[in-house]
Amino acid sequence: MDLAEIFRVMRRRWYVLFPGLLVTVALVVAVLVVVPTKYQSQSTVEMLNSQKATEAFDGNPFLSTQTSLTGMADSLARNLNSDASIADLKAQGLTGTYVAMIADNAQGPLLWLTATGTDPAAVLHSDTLLTAYAAQRLQQFQAQKSVPTSAMIQMTTIVPPQNPVAQLKTKIEYVIMAGLVGLVASLFGCFYIEARRRPRTVDPEAEEELAPVVDGEDEDDDQDDKPDSRPDSRPDNRRNNNRSSDRNSDRSDEHQSGGDGDDLAYGPAPRQRRRQDEDVEQPTVQLSVLQLQQDRAKKQSSNDTEAPWFAP
């Protein structure tokens, strides 16, 4: 089936395709309304060295970045993603979901703090709350270890919480899925109705193979149903035998005399006529012999059932 045939089927079965397309459009609109649009806000923070570690750099923490700060950033991110931190943030008014992770392709101890939700204002508030909570957790870690204030690692905000941005990827995927399902269902309905309404055609090769068998069976049935219309000719068997013996004797005489006797007795015309008579009589003789055999079989069956003539 080519593309032109597909369009012809769609045109013939428009009464199936058109309602299906309407249902598809309704399904797509329902997905757009029911599936909520998600918004996302993100901030970026950086771990900075302590005041004591920056004395050699005139107190500039950005010049004394150490590898240990990246390890501290990873530890803080894992703590923020824990169940305890999630419960604390929910109690403080955070809505939606969030994630803390080391920034991709970062060359320093940078953290991404991302909040996600369906309400843009709530998402922005959640990201601001998460950024402040991360700084508090960093101070709590160091206070639990009795770290002097001058030696504590500091945190600074590199990128403040951004305005929420709509994340339409998931919603578009759902819309495309609903449209494809509706379109496939509509086309399937068209071709299903087309297959049911289209007359079934028989393969010509199969029809030619089956035709002789059916015709042969019909001819046999007709021959069985027809009565025997052959004439009841029962010639005498002795007369047939006599004719056969006469023909054999004539042939032997021809061989012995070299054909002169036939030419003298009959001549060319009588000899040709005798051959024509033999050709006409030959099918009759065969039919008579067949009928004689059938009569003998019938007589034999009747004699077996009747009593003999010499019985008392």
Side-chain angles (χ1 to χ4, degrees), residues 28-265:
V28 170
V29 172
V31 171
L32 290 173
V33 174
V34 173
V35 178
T37 302
K38 292 184 178 182
Y39 296 88
Q40 192 175 81
S41 177
Q42 188 179 72
S43 63
T44 304
V45 297
E46 183 180 5
M47 305 289 109
L48 298 178
N49 216 333
S50 63
Q51 294 179 358
K52 185 180 292 188
T54 60
E55 291 179 355
F57 301 96
D58 295 333
N60 189 351
F62 295 101
L63 298 176
S64 62
T65 303
Q66 298 177 356
T67 308
S68 60
L69 295 177
T70 304
M72 187 61 199
D74 182 56
S75 300
L76 180 60
R78 293 176 185 273
N79 182 267
L80 292 175
N81 292 327
S82 64
D83 294 338
S85 298
I86 293 174
D88 290 342
L89 288 170
K90 294 289 184 182
Q92 294 180 20
L94 184 141
T95 58
T97 59
Y98 71 90
V99 62
M101 59 181 295
I102 295 179
D104 294 339
N105 301 321
Q107 297 182 358
L110 298 175
L111 279 180
W112 277 348
L113 304 176
T114 306
T116 305
T118 57
D119 186 7
V123 169
L124 183 59
H125 174 72
S126 297
D127 195 21
T128 304
L129 185 64
L130 177 61
T131 303
Y133 184 77
Q136 294 177 6
R137 292 299 295 167
L138 179 61
Q139 295 296 326
Q140 290 176 2
F141 285 156
Q142 298 178 91
Q144 290 175 359
K145 299 299 179 181
S146 302
V147 178
T149 306
S150 60
M152 286 186 178
I153 298 174
Q154 302 175 4
M155 177 185 291
T156 183
T157 302
I158 302 299
V159 179
Q162 300 296 300
N163 292 327
V165 178
Q167 304 296 313
L168 300 176
K169 180 180 179 181
T170 304
K171 192 170 185 177
I172 291 174
E173 289 177 353
Y174 286 139
V175 170
I176 293 175
M177 187 181 301
L180 289 177
V181 170
L183 182 60
V184 170
S186 302
L187 292 176
F188 177 79
C190 288
F191 287 99
Y192 179 77
I193 298 299
E194 178 70 15
R196 293 295 300 271
R197 299 292 178 85
R198 179 176 293 181
R200 297 181 180 179
T201 58
V202 182
D203 190 5
E205 296 181 357
E207 187 176 4
E208 291 178 359
E209 292 178 357
L210 294 176
V213 178
V214 176
D215 295 341
E217 293 179 355
D218 295 339
E219 289 177 359
D220 293 340
D221 296 338
D222 294 339
Q223 291 178 1
D224 294 338
D225 296 337
K226 289 180 180 179
D228 190 4
S229 60
R230 292 177 297 179
D232 188 8
S233 60
R234 298 181 181 179
D236 190 8
N237 190 20
R238 290 181 297 178
R239 188 174 65 180
N240 294 331
N241 292 333
N242 292 332
R243 290 180 179 178
S244 300
S245 60
D246 291 341
R247 285 195 297 269
N248 292 330
S249 61
D250 292 339
R251 291 175 182 174
S252 62
D253 293 340
E254 290 177 3
H255 288 294
Q256 292 177 3
S257 60
D260 296 337
D262 289 338
D263 293 338
L264 294 175

